[in-house]
Amino acid sequence: MDTNSVLQVLAVAIECIVALAGVRLATKGKKVYGWWIALTFALYVVFDLSRLGFLPKDEGVISPLFLVASLSILYAVWLLGCEIIPSRRYDL
């Protein structure tokens, strides 16, 4: 396995840990944005596993999933910002 593949596998492992941390944040910490963080990183895992060849690489599916992941983390950051700066709270 070359260095890039090792780094990609390491990145997938870290993404899994972050996804699990998001679930823990949502369940134990009762923070809704934890679910969005978990979704984002779970989708990143799917995306990376398809790039590594462990899952089918269908651009018709992978590209929209990457967009959903990006929108998910954007919403998570929005919710986090609303919690930290309550005077600027705007609900979507």
Side-chain angles (χ1 to χ4, degrees):
M1 207 184 256
D2 65 347
T3 305
N4 287 335
S5 296
V6 171
L7 292 176
Q8 191 69 41
V9 169
L10 181 61
V12 169
I14 292 169
E15 289 165 354
C16 289
I17 293 168
V18 173
L20 290 173
V23 170
R24 188 170 196 283
L25 184 62
T27 56
K28 302 285 185 193
K30 302 200 185 323
K31 303 294 182 183
V32 174
Y33 52 80
W35 290 117
W36 297 101
I37 293 169
L39 174 63
T40 298
F41 283 89
L43 291 174
Y44 285 166
V45 168
V46 171
F47 180 76
D48 286 341
L49 289 178
S50 71
R51 287 181 55 199
L52 287 170
F54 292 107
L55 295 175
K57 189 173 188 176
D58 182 7
E59 287 300 320
V61 174
I62 296 300
S63 295
L65 283 182
F66 195 73
L67 176 63
V68 170
S70 298
L71 292 172
S72 175
I73 199 64
L74 175 65
Y75 189 58
V77 170
W78 179 275
L79 291 174
L80 184 59
C82 289
E83 182 177 303
I84 292 172
I85 310 169
S87 64
R88 296 186 182 186
R89 182 169 182 108
Y90 301 103
D91 291 330
L92 295 177

